[in-house]
Amino acid sequence: MQLDAGAYQRMLGEELRRLREERGLTRRDLNHRLHSDLSLQTLATYELGTRQCSVVRLVELCLALEETPEALLARVGRRYFGTFGTTEADGVRVDLRLIARAEHDDLAPFRRWAEGKLAESPAADTPHEVHLDPAALARLAELCGTTTADLRARIRRLG
């Protein structure tokens, strides 16, 4: 498997921004919590995923956000890889919104299924991520005319 560094960096930035917003902090507030000199523009580029930060800077950001680096990276890993820390026998997690927006014709059965699941519970607090066990993943792959391994890889790329 190859790493799409840009996609991974964007997911990391999204998680940093989500954490900051969950804690009710502005970028300026976060900047004041840091023990190093960092511009607001640099913080913004980290959150947008357009700039990479060092491991030490990431740890510093996590500490300022009262989050462990392990927890942050695990969330990013689950989003990017779908099965971070698990085996393929465990299935895969998918974001239904991403699948519903997929424009690939061969994924049309999967897209319709995702749209249906989202329509079942339109409430804002409804989780958009679901776990597909190996049997469900195999059935969706069959409906899409592909292999389970290929569908798993495509889910990762969509994320």
Side-chain angles (χ1 to χ4, degrees):
M1 168 187 284
Q2 288 188 327
L3 177 69
D4 179 345
Y8 189 90
Q9 190 65 37
R10 281 188 299 280
M11 288 180 192
L12 178 61
E14 290 167 2
E15 286 297 320
L16 287 169
R17 183 179 61 245
R18 184 189 61 75
L19 276 172
R20 179 180 56 76
E21 290 173 349
E22 276 182 3
R23 278 129 177 94
L25 300 171
T26 65
R27 285 190 186 118
R28 186 174 308 281
D29 296 332
L30 176 56
N31 195 23
H32 291 302
R33 289 181 169 207
L34 297 173
H35 297 291
S36 62
D37 188 28
L38 187 67
S39 73
L40 295 178
Q41 180 63 32
T42 299
L43 277 175
T45 59
Y46 290 160
E47 289 184 357
L48 292 170
T50 58
R51 183 178 188 158
Q52 292 184 6
C53 64
S54 70
V55 172
V56 172
R57 180 64 49 113
L58 181 62
V59 170
E60 183 182 15
L61 287 167
C62 286
L63 292 174
L65 291 165
E66 300 173 349
E67 178 73 299
T68 66
E70 303 87 48
L72 173 70
L73 291 174
R75 277 195 309 282
V76 175
R78 281 190 299 274
R79 285 184 59 194
Y80 184 83
F81 296 107
T83 57
F84 189 67
T86 63
T87 66
E88 290 199 5
D90 295 323
V92 67
R93 289 195 65 74
V94 297
D95 185 328
L96 295 173
R97 297 166 298 182
L98 294 176
I99 302 303
R101 290 192 303 257
E103 297 180 4
H104 309 281
D105 290 338
D106 56 330
L107 294 181
F110 196 9
R111 184 176 51 247
R112 285 191 299 273
W113 175 81
E115 289 168 346
K117 294 296 278 182
L118 289 167
E120 286 176 9
S121 303
D125 61 342
T126 300
H128 299 289
E129 285 191 5
V130 297
H131 179 267
L132 296 176
D133 64 31
L137 190 61
R139 181 67 180 127
L140 283 168
E142 182 182 331
L143 289 171
C144 293
T146 190
T147 66
T148 303
D150 180 60
L151 184 58
R152 180 187 303 275
R154 294 186 70 189
I155 290 168
R156 289 176 182 149
R157 286 193 302 269
L158 285 171

